[in-house]
């Protein structure tokens, strides 16, 4: 299995070179993330007392849920069924997609309107539906844009943040015959009108769920545009697709999450629409499709379970200096940035994520912003530790080089004699690096990759200090 | 913190400073002497173990950590002062995650980063600090996010008469892009992050770039020289030494 | 309800892109609504839907006042249709700290606050809560009352293109919250 994973190595470094060379993309990413971070700082400062209290409560609630995830899920399902909701649970993505397809076909529908759901991206639901003759129409503006472009979303809450308005106008013009314009209001009005027809004629609407309440079998759906409400209320059949990690214990936990999610995600006091619902209204039908893939595994992993605290606000992505350059695409996984690095090893295998795990400076800004106080650098280091412990059969050259470096630190600093060899070691490394320059890089020295050698002084500090 | 005249201080010299920037360590000793402190410098200091720890080689890190604890459990100093946020964070926050033969608790309590020590002990007040001009103060990531040290160095900067200083906001290029092994594994990203950081500094046209961590300084220096940017880099200890002359 | 609470609510709703209006009486409220409707009718013919959940007397007053306007340009529709331009509906609670209103879904047709491009919400002396926590705790245990709850904090919005905020993506472009 390890050698397969190596073949599937996600080439993040190569992707970084591609992304960095796209200057327009880099500018768009920087502007988008900086704008959101500034708004976020302002709103949290203004409401800090409420925010901090809500955070503490939300963390307790989520930790509580994770502790007994399987049992809580059973309880949730029971309560949901009691309210007349049809519930199906799957560990396998395709089986979940198959059920959704079956439901849609049973209503004689050949298309469905869909609001934002990261889980459905994980599942590649749209791809499955299309292969089985059903046309899924993304209705969140950002998702609608990337769907037309045939791309994956670039960010958790701003799927099209890598696109300029000219690029959006061009795709609307090319695929939907919108007259060319550079007025964002006009483009939005066009999309509204186009999608309104779809909402009104759809027989089935698919949404995600931001939170699922164990105690009542309810879900909470959070949004700004109104498309989730459209998918929830207009079609006769509503399907909510979400992962088991969305569970929270009590109905009264909801406001704590509401107080922190939009503030952290978009710098808003509160998102425009929050729909808390359970039993479908008269004449309507509701399904919950719950996916458990890897969720129980993570929940039972003592060092990793806090990852499930994540409420998908995207603040970690906004502040990450690496994500600001790669966007989600650079990680080749549903999620990018810090949350992506934490999750990917479970989904792609840890060896395939070797470069992804290297793509972090461990600066810790993600941890300082995370509303759920997830210690992201600690989790990344734990993943790196597990990678380092993989058997010899799955060794990569990079890992060998790293081990040599780590071991030589250990060796040289362990004994007085070896310590005295350090200055000679450095000079040797410098001469060697000069000779081979560019072919093998020795960490910190790299004249031909945009950095100059920092020449080590003749004597180290200890040599100088203790010579007297 | 107890009166500075009664405190005993031992120094921990980070490997980067030992190997590449010995002047920083000498500046730090100079500054302390000016404050009336005679710091102890122990022989046989190991590396704190952070490089191995961050890369996931915790056996190597533990071996070095054990050496660190063995060495410093033999000091009667009240504080172990270290001119590095990342080394201090490694000892204080991560030693407890390692399999060690002896407990690191007592030592961890003694470890303190240099600017934090200078401020909390009031030692900086014994110096007559002056500087003519404007500098950029870089908040090294581990210092800021792992140790939550921000006020101490800034309060000292505020006490330097004639000094104007600038910093970056969270939405304005914060990390320098070094990240230890990151700079070797993802060189293009590392250089781009450093370049954007220096662009920001260059725009402000400041006379010096000051930080409490040698890793940041070394990385940005190497990027700056490759791009011929002519920015002067100082470790916080060097800068304070300079300002006290 | 204290003036302070309302002011906090109004300021927050304003920040969110909506508008809060406090009127002295049902009559004044009906008058204000008529002005808003007339404003929308200035550019084109419009269809107005008045929710059946509104108080009968208030509804009559609004219909009468609107009827005194140019009836060619303003048509009142009993049913909520896809081409309605304005809906005038009720709501249940105000949450001052969030600049939001809440509706018990069992008692309202949710499409009314979603489909038309202009939405006017009106209620007599609504219960006003400081924070979201307060509203969930006030009726804690009484899940039937608010287990189906919709919270609206402003007009529909998106910033998906270059982070420029645009109102009226799928839901209403303009939101007015009135109390009397």
């Amino acid at each position: 299995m390890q050698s397969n994973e190596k073949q599937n190595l996600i080439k993040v470094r190569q992707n970084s070179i591609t992304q960095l060379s796209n200057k327009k993309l880099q500018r768009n990413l920087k502007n988008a993330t900086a704008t959101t971070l500034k708004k976020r700082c302002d709103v949290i400062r203004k409401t800090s007392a409420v925010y901090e209290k809500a955070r503490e409560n939300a963390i307790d609630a989520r930790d509580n849920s994770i502790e007994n995830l399987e049992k809580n899920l059973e309880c949730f399902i029971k309560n949901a069924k009691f309210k007349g909701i049809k519930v199906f649970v799957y560990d396998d993505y395709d089986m979940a997609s198959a059920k959704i397809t079956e439901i849609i076909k049973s209503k004689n529908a050949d298309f469905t309107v869909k609001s934002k759901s990261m889980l459905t991206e994980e599942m590649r639901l749209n791809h499955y539906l299309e292969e089985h003759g059903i046309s899924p129409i993304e209705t969140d503006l950002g998702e609608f844009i990337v769907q037309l472009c045939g791309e994956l979303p670039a960010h958790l809450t701003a799927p099209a943040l890598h696109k300029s308005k000219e690029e959006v106008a061009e795709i609307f013009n090319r695929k939907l015959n919108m007259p060319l314009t550079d007025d964002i209001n006009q483009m939005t009005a066009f999309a509204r009108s186009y999608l309104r027809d779809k909402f009104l004629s759809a027989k089935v609407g698919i949404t995600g769920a931001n939170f699922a309440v164990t105690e009542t079998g309810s879900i909470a759906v959070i949004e700004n545009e109104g498309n989730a409400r459209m998918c929830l209320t207009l079609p006769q059949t509503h399907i909510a697709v979400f992962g088991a990690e969305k569970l929270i214990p009590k109905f009264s936990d909801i406001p704590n999450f509401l107080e922190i999610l939009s503030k952290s995600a978009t710098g808003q006091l509160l998102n425009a629409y929050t729909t808390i619902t359970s039993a479908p209204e008269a004449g309507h039908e509701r399904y919950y499709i719950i996916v458990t893939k890897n969720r129980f595994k993570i929940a039972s992993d003592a060092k990793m379970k806090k990852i499930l605290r994540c409420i998908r606000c995207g603040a970690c992505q906004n502040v990450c200096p690496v994500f600001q350059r790669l966007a989600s695409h650079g990680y080749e996984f549903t999620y990018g940035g810090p949350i992506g690095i934490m999750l990917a090893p479970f989904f792609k295998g840890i060896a395939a994520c070797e470069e992804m795990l290297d793509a972090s400076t461990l600066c810790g800004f993600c941890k300082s912003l995370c509303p759920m106080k997830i210690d992201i650098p600690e989790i990344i280091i734990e993943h790196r530790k597990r990678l380092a412990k993989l058997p010899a059969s799955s060794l990569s050259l990079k890992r060998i080089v790293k081990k040599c470096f780590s071991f030589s630190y250990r060796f040289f600093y362990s004994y007085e004699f070896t310590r005295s060899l350090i200055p000679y070691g450095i000079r040797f490394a410098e001469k060697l690096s000069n000779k081979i320059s560019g072919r093998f890089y020795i960490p910190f020295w790299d004249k031909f990759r945009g950095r100059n050698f920092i020449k080590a002084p003749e004597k180290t500090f200890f040599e100088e200090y203790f010579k007297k | 913190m107890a009166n500075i005249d009664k405190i005993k201080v031992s120094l921990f010299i980070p490997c980067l400073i030992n190997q590449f920037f010995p002047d920083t360590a000498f500046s730090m000793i100079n500054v302390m002497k000016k404050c009336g402190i005679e710091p102890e410098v122990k022989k046989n200091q190991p590396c704190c173990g952070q490089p191995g720890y961050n890369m996931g080689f915790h056996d190597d890190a533990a071996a070095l950590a054990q050496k660190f604890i063995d060495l410093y459990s033999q000091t009667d100093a009240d504080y172990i002062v270290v001119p590095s946020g990342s080394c201090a964070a490694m000892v204080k926050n991560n030693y407890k995650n390692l399999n060690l033969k002896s407990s690191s608790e007592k030592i961890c309590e003694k470890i303190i980063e240099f600017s934090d020590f200078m401020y909390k002990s009031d030692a900086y007040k014994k110096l007559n600090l002056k500087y003519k001009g404007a500098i950029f103060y870089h908040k090294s990531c581990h210092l800021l996010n792992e140790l939550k040290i921000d006020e101490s160095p800034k309060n000292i900067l505020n006490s330097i008469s004639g000094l104007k200083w600038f910093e970056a906001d969270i939405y304005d290029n914060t990390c320098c892009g070094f990240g230890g092994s990151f700079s070797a594994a993802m060189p293009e990203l590392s250089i781009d992050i450093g370049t954007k950081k220096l662009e920001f500094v260059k725009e402000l046209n400041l006379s010096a770039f000051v930080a409490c961590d040698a890793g940041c300084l070394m990385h940005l220096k190497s990027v700056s020289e490759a791009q011929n940017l002519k920015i002067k880099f100082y470790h916080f200890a060097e800068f304070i030494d300079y300002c006290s002359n | 309800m204290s003036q302070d609470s309302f002011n906090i609510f109004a300021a927050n709703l304003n920040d969110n892109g909506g508008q809060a209006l406090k009127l002295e009486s049902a009559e004044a409220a009906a008058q204000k609504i008529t002005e808003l409707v007339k404003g929308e009718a200035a550019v084109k013919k419009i269809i107005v839907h008045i929710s059946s959940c509104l108080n009968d007397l208030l509804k009559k007053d609004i219909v009468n006042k609107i009827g005194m306007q140019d009836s060619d340009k303003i048509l009142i529709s009993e049913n909520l249709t896809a081409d309605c331009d304005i809906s005038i509906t009720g709501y249940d609670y105000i949450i001052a700290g969030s600049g939001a209103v809440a509706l018990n879904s069992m008692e309202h047709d949710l499409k009314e606050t979603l489909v038309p491009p202009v939405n006017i919400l009106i209620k007599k002396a609504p219960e006003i809560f400081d924070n979201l926590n307060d509203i969930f705790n006030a009726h804690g245990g009484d899940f039937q009352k608010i287990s189906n709850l919709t919270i609206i904090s402003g007009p529909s919005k998106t910033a998906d293109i270059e982070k420029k905020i645009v109102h009226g993506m799928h839901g209403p472009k303009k939101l007015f919250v009135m109390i009397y």
Side-chain angles (χ1 to χ4, degrees), chain C residues 49 51 53-54 87-91 103 112-113 119-122:
Chain C
H49 167 71
S51 174
C53 76
L54 283 190
S87 64
I88 304 164
T89 75
Y91 62 96
L103 288 79
E112 289 173 340
T113 50
N119 182 211
I120 302 172
L121 293 159
I122 178 160

Side-chain angles (χ1 to χ4, degrees), chain B residues 191-243:
Chain B
I191 291 168
D192 190 68
I193 297 169
T195 304
K196 295 291 190 296
K197 179 104 199 162
L198 293 175
E199 262 171 29
F200 179 74
V201 173
K202 204 77 180 107
E203 266 171 40
L204 295 170
N205 216 359
L206 305 168
S207 62
F209 185 104
V210 175
C212 295
D213 257 271
C216 308
L217 293 166
M218 185 177 71
H219 168 70
L220 289 174
K221 194 162 192 246
S222 72
V223 171
S224 168
E225 287 182 4
Q227 295 174 19
N228 230 347
L229 290 179
K230 308 211 194 313
I231 297 175
K232 290 212 192 64
F233 294 91
Y234 296 106
H235 187 280
F236 193 80
E238 287 181 295
F239 186 67
I240 298 301
D241 192 24
Y242 181 85
C243 293

Side-chain angles (χ1 to χ4, degrees), chain A residues 36 139-140 142 164-165 185 188 192 196 199 224-225 227 229 234 251 256 269-274 276 278, chain C residues 12 97 110-111 113 115 133 146 148-153 156-158 160 162-163 166 168-172:
Chain A
T36 313
T139 59
D140 170 277
S164 65
K165 62 182 179 191
N185 284 303
T188 309
R192 175 191 168 105
R196 181 57 66 98
F199 286 125
N224 279 300
E225 295 183 10
N227 58 318
R229 285 182 70 194
L234 293 183
F251 199 74
N256 294 308
L269 201 55
L270 182 66
N271 50 285
Y273 305 117
T274 305
I276 302 164
S278 41
Chain C
N12 286 333
L110 290 177
K111 296 192 283 295
T113 50
V115 173
N133 247 307
I146 57 167
N148 277 22
L149 193 69
T150 295
I151 303 172
I152 298 174
S153 76
S156 149
K157 53 176 76 88
T158 182
D160 273 339
E162 290 193 358
K163 285 284 161 190
V166 175
M169 182 60 232
H170 294 291

Side-chain angles (χ1 to χ4, degrees), chain B:
Chain B
M1 209 181 264
N3 192 314
I4 187 74
D5 299 319
K6 303 202 171 80
I7 296 179
K8 281 192 77 174
V9 166
S10 187
L11 298 182
F12 174 62
I13 308 300
C15 51
L16 270 184
I17 290 180
N18 174 47
Q19 286 157 202
F20 290 96
F21 306 109
D23 282 344
T24 298
F26 284 115
S27 293
M28 179 173 68
I29 293 170
N30 240 11
V31 165
M32 287 195 157
K33 286 189 169 160
K34 286 181 196 170
C35 298
I37 306 170
E38 283 296 330
E40 165 194 68
V41 178
K42 284 178 109 50
K43 279 188 161 177
N44 303 327
Q45 291 183 25
C47 162
C48 68
Q50 191 188 53
Y53 183 82
N54 284 353
M55 287 193 286
F57 300 108
H58 288 201
D59 296 333
D60 293 336
L64 288 168
Q66 192 59 58
K67 291 243 157 15
F68 185 97
I69 292 176
D70 290 342
L71 182 71
Y72 284 99
S73 57
Q74 292 162 32
T75 183
D76 59 350
D78 304 296
Y79 293 98
I80 305 164
V81 177
V82 53
S84 160
S86 53
C87 299
M90 175 66 198
V91 178
K92 278 186 114 69
N93 296 350
N94 297 326
Y95 272 18
K96 59 179 180 315
N97 300 334
L98 295 170
N99 275 332
L100 300 171
K101 274 179 268 157
S102 37
S103 158
S104 56
E105 233 186 281
K106 274 220 314 265
I107 308 246
C108 292
E109 278 169 28
K110 286 188 183 180
I111 286 275
I112 183 166
E113 183 271 336
F114 173 69
S115 71
D116 203 29
F117 171 76
M118 291 297 289
Y119 179 69
K120 293 204 169 119
S121 67
D122 281 340
Y124 77 103
K125 290 186 177 160
K126 296 202 167 185
L127 305 163
N128 188 6
L129 297 169
K130 293 197 269 263
Y131 186 86
K132 239 204 217 150
I135 62 154
F136 183 83
Y137 170 65
H138 167 64
K139 295 170 288 210
S140 298
C141 294
H142 281 102
L143 189 73
L144 182 68
N145 296 324
E146 296 296 325
L147 295 171
K148 308 267 185 262
I149 293 173
D150 196 34
E151 295 307 315
S152 294
K154 287 179 178 175
N155 284 334
I156 296 177
L157 290 177
N158 284 335
S159 75
I160 302 175
S161 74
L163 174 72
K164 212 164 151 19
W165 60 271
F166 294 85
E167 60 175 326
D169 279 311
I170 198 175
Y171 33 84
D172 249 335
N173 307 304
T174 39
C175 181
C176 70
F178 177 51
S181 57
F182 174 83
S183 66
M186 300 280 152
E188 293 79 16
L189 283 170
S190 179
I191 291 168
D192 190 68
I193 297 169
T195 304
K196 295 291 190 296
K197 179 104 199 162
L198 293 175
E199 262 171 29
F200 179 74
V201 173
K202 204 77 180 107
E203 266 171 40
L204 295 170
N205 216 359
L206 305 168
S207 62
F209 185 104
V210 175
C212 295
D213 257 271
C216 308
L217 293 166
M218 185 177 71
H219 168 70
L220 289 174
K221 194 162 192 246
S222 72
V223 171
S224 168
E225 287 182 4
Q227 295 174 19
N228 230 347
L229 290 179
K230 308 211 194 313
I231 297 175
K232 290 212 192 64
F233 294 91
Y234 296 106
H235 187 280
F236 193 80
E238 287 181 295
F239 186 67
I240 298 301
D241 192 24
Y242 181 85
C243 293
S244 63
N245 289 331

Side-chain angles (χ1 to χ4, degrees), chain A residues 2 8 35 113 123 128 141-142 183 253 262 275 306 347 405 407:
Chain A
Q2 273 92 7
N8 295 333
T35 307
V113 286
M123 290 161 63
Y128 190 99
L141 181 62
D183 184 331
D253 292 328
S262 329
T275 307
K306 290 202 175 119
F347 291 83
F405 185 72
F407 186 75

Side-chain angles (χ1 to χ4, degrees), chain C residues 7-19:
Chain C
N7 289 340
I8 293 171
F9 165 67
N12 286 333
L13 180 67
N14 197 45
D15 281 345
N16 294 341
Q19 204 183 335

Side-chain angles (χ1 to χ4, degrees), chain A residues 110-128:
Chain A
D110 60 2
F111 80 96
T112 176
V113 286
K114 203 179 150 293
S115 73
K116 200 161 161 39
S117 157
M118 292 311 292
L119 174 62
T120 60
E121 312 275 359
E122 268 183 60
M123 290 161 63
R124 301 189 70 218
L125 173 66
N126 287 358
H127 179 77
Y128 190 99

Side-chain angles (χ1 to χ4, degrees), chain C residues 56-74:
Chain C
D56 274 340
L57 283 173
L58 175 67
K59 196 167 170 191
K60 250 200 186 140
D61 210 354
I62 297 173
V63 171
N64 282 340
K65 289 200 158 62
I66 290 179
M68 292 195 270
Q69 304 304 316
D70 182 355
S71 56
D72 258 357
K73 295 199 93 181
I74 307 172

